[in-house]
């Protein structure tokens, strides 16, 4: 048996005001190619199908078309759960009858989890849950933390599982020691959202969502697939991928990464304005965070870069390094009055000094401002 493991699709995600929907459509199509090429027997989506609990209709229709293609046209079972970004109730809609086509969509955590029973494996869908919900479901006041909650759930599973079969858990959690990125929403303040790896003892494969780095943890049986796209610049070094998980009978035999190549990459670049606009970077259509290395003042740098790089998402200036030379200059600057300082700035920007008339005008303005301040 061969399964494809993905998670954290975040359909409808907007990064720095830019919708990622077309990139998401493209990458889902790439995943479809992998599904066909690898001839997988099923698809795991470990939560965060959408980016928000009330996703835009364009995201709903993209998920609808994708699931229809995978499940109905390609006739593949889908094992999906809700993540912390999804609405458990909304994702749960239809789950009872979707099962008829082997679309297993667990939106809400139930009191007792029923396994999806295959010939040589059992798959347990554990949707994202807060400790309070598990405390209530299990009527156990001892359940206080995410750790307690997951331990209680997996303990219950172990008490009923068929140990002659491969045991697969699909979950959405922050495993202790995992490396976060900037695009996950914190589950709680501090480190109380962590679940230790021992909660998953005994499972042959744990397919997780939540952390977006594909190597957020290193463990022989617990894996994050990572998000299929980079959703923050903290992920710019990631090679995004899906995992192909193979079993021979009830034994896990291979966990392999298949890289995903996006339509537009997300990366960080640096250089001077002059450099960047004369020696064009490769793939100028990519989503870029640009760090300008110019020292002096710049007029409308973003306006000058946009014609070459239409998808700049972030622009920053190199921080001035404090040197003794700068400190001397700072002392010198402190001695100057407002007009002298403004004149220096004006000259820097315009390349010419203030005229007598402009000096008089600025003096009047400074006086007025000072009057108002007093
Ligand atoms: Mn996520």
């Amino acid at each position: 048996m061969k399964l494809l493991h993905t998670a954290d699709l975040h359909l409808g995600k907007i990064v720095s005001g830019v919708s990622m929907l077309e990139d998401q459509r493209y990458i889902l199509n790439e995943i479809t190619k992998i599904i066909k090429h690898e001839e997988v027997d099923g698809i795991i989506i470990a939560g965060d199908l959408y980016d928000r609990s009330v996703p835009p209709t364009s995201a709903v229709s993209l998920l609808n078309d994708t699931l229809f293609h995978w499940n109905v046209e390609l006739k593949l079972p889908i094992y999906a759960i809700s993540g912390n970004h999804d609405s458990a109730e909304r994702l749960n809609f239809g789950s009872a009858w979707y099962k008829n086509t082997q679309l297993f969509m667990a939106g809400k955590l139930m009191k007792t989890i029923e396994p999806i029973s295959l010939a040589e494996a059992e798959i347990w869908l554990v949707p994202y849950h807060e400790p309070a919900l598990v405390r209530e479901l299990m009527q156990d006041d001892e359940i206080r933390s995410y750790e307690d909650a997951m331990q209680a759930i997996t303990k219950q599973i172990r008490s009923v599982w068929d140990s002659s079969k491969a045991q697969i858990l699909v979950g959405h959690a922050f495993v202790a020691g995992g490396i976060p990125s900037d695009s996950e929403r914190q589950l709680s303040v501090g480190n109380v959202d962590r679940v230790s790896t021992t909660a998953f003892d005994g499972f042959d494969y744990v397919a997780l969502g939540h952390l977006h780095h594909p190597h957020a943890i290193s463990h022989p049986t617990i894996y994050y697939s990572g998000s299929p796209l980079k959703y923050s610049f903290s992920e710019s070094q990631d090679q995004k991928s899906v995992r192909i998980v193979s079993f021979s009978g009830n034994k896990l035999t291979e966990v392999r990464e298949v890289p995903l190549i996006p339509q537009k990459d997300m990366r960080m670049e640096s250089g001077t304005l002059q450099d960047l606009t004369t020696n064009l970077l490769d793939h100028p259509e990519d989503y870029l965070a640009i760090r300008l290395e110019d020292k002096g003042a710049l007029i409308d740098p973003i306006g000058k870069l946009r014609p070459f790089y239409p998808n700049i998402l972030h622009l920053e200036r190199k921080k001035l390094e404090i040197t003794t030379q700068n400190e001397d200059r700072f002392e010198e600057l402190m001695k100057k009055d407002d007009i002298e300082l403004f004149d220096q700035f004006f000259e820097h920007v315009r390349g010419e000094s203030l005229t007598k008339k402009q000096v008089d005008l600025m003096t009047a303005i400074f006086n007025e401002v000072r009057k108002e301040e007093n």
Side-chain angles (χ1 to χ4, degrees):
M1 180 178 65
K2 221 184 200 186
L3 299 172
L4 180 139
H5 168 196
T6 185
D8 297 283
L9 308 181
H10 288 266
L11 302 185
K13 174 97 177 162
I14 291 168
V15 182
S16 301
V18 177
S19 164
M20 295 284 124
L21 200 76
E22 286 317 307
D23 302 274
Q24 294 173 327
R25 192 185 307 284
Y26 180 89
I27 215 70
L28 286 171
N29 194 41
E30 291 298 294
I31 296 177
T32 302
K33 288 182 197 166
I34 297 169
I35 288 169
K36 288 180 181 165
H37 181 253
E38 294 282 344
E39 299 181 328
V40 301
D41 302 297
I43 301 156
I44 292 171
I45 315 174
D48 283 352
L49 279 60
Y50 293 121
D51 190 53
R52 311 176 231 162
S53 55
V54 185
T57 54
S58 53
V60 176
S61 106
L62 176 57
L63 185 66
N64 181 77
D65 297 351
T66 305
L67 295 184
F68 183 81
H69 183 55
W70 293 350
N71 183 238
V72 177
E73 291 173 345
L74 301 180
K75 297 191 168 54
L76 291 170
I78 294 175
Y79 311 102
I81 58 168
S82 63
N84 59 311
H85 284 249
D86 298 307
S87 155
E89 300 285 341
R90 288 190 174 87
L91 267 196
N92 216 56
F93 172 83
S95 340
W97 66 85
Y98 292 167
K99 281 180 195 160
N100 290 316
T101 61
Q102 301 204 74
L103 168 52
F104 301 97
M105 175 75 78
K108 278 191 326 195
L109 183 74
M110 295 300 177
K111 192 171 185 272
T112 343
I113 303 173
E114 296 285 339
I116 297 151
S117 200
L118 309 179
E120 292 181 287
E122 283 182 325
I123 302 180
W124 304 83
L125 302 182
V126 183
Y128 171 71
H129 51 269
E130 280 171 13
L133 173 71
V134 183
R135 182 162 65 237
E136 193 192 307
L137 285 176
M138 300 201 171
Q139 298 285 304
D140 181 352
D141 284 341
E142 300 291 297
I143 297 170
R144 296 264 141 213
S145 63
Y146 281 84
E147 168 81 17
D148 298 339
M150 191 63 87
Q151 294 283 7
I153 291 168
T154 53
K155 189 177 163 197
Q156 191 193 62
I157 292 174
R158 275 183 215 102
S159 71
V160 293
W161 72 16
D162 176 350
S163 56
S164 70
K165 292 183 177 182
Q167 295 299 325
I168 302 167
L169 183 141
V170 182
H172 195 90
F174 194 148
V175 170
I179 303 160
S181 73
D182 289 340
S183 60
E184 299 112 13
R185 188 190 294 155
Q186 272 197 315
L187 302 180
S188 68
V189 182
N191 287 351
V192 294
D193 52 359
R194 306 296 198 275
V195 169
S196 58
T197 53
T198 60
F200 306 110
D201 281 353
F203 287 92
D204 296 279
Y205 187 79
V206 179
L208 292 178
H210 185 53
L211 298 183
H212 291 182
H213 291 303
H215 301 280
I217 55 162
S218 173
H219 191 278
T221 53
I222 305 172
Y223 289 88
Y224 284 99
S225 64
S227 55
L229 290 169
K230 300 173 186 178
Y231 288 130
S232 68
F233 286 101
S234 68
E235 295 157 73
S236 60
Q237 298 300 319
D238 286 3
Q239 170 60 63
K240 297 300 188 182
S241 58
V242 291
R243 284 226 166 68
I244 300 292
V245 190
S246 304
F247 293 85
S248 172
N250 64 0
K251 289 273 168 288
L252 176 71
T253 49
E254 190 189 32
V255 182
R256 183 159 45 87
E257 266 174 85
V258 180
L260 292 170
I261 313 297
Q263 196 172 23
K264 295 192 200 96
D265 197 7
M266 191 176 284
R267 58 203 172 88
M268 292 156 106
E269 293 288 350
S270 59
T272 63
L273 188 56
Q274 175 77 22
D275 266 0
L276 291 164
T277 51
T278 46
N279 305 312
L280 222 57
L281 298 170
D282 289 340
H283 306 289
E285 304 276 321
D286 284 353
Y287 295 116
L288 299 174
I290 292 182
R291 185 166 184 251
L292 286 173
E293 287 175 337
D294 300 79
K295 292 219 173 67
L298 294 170
I299 303 164
D300 189 22
I302 189 84
K304 286 182 175 142
L305 289 165
R306 276 253 191 262
F308 301 98
Y309 309 104
N311 299 308
I312 298 176
L313 298 185
H314 180 76
L315 184 67
E316 65 179 32
R317 298 289 306 271
K318 187 183 170 183
K319 284 201 192 82
L320 278 178
E321 284 154 26
I322 306 287
T323 60
T324 26
Q325 203 188 344
N326 281 335
E327 274 172 25
D328 292 347
R329 271 190 62 208
F330 186 71
E331 301 234 319
E332 205 179 295
L333 283 175
M334 290 299 285
K335 287 178 203 149
K336 296 191 177 191
D337 68 17
D338 294 341
I339 288 294
E340 280 175 306
L341 284 172
F342 186 76
D343 183 45
Q344 205 175 4
F345 168 72
F346 188 82
E347 196 178 334
H348 194 90
V349 176
R350 296 290 301 266
E352 56 191 47
S353 210
L354 290 167
T355 62
K356 172 78 177 64
K357 205 174 157 190
Q358 286 166 330
V359 170
D360 291 346
L361 185 65
M362 284 311 296
T363 311
I365 291 170
F366 277 126
N367 286 339
E368 212 167 301
V369 171
R370 240 176 251 120
K371 220 189 299 169
E372 270 173 37
E373 278 181 353
N374 298 335

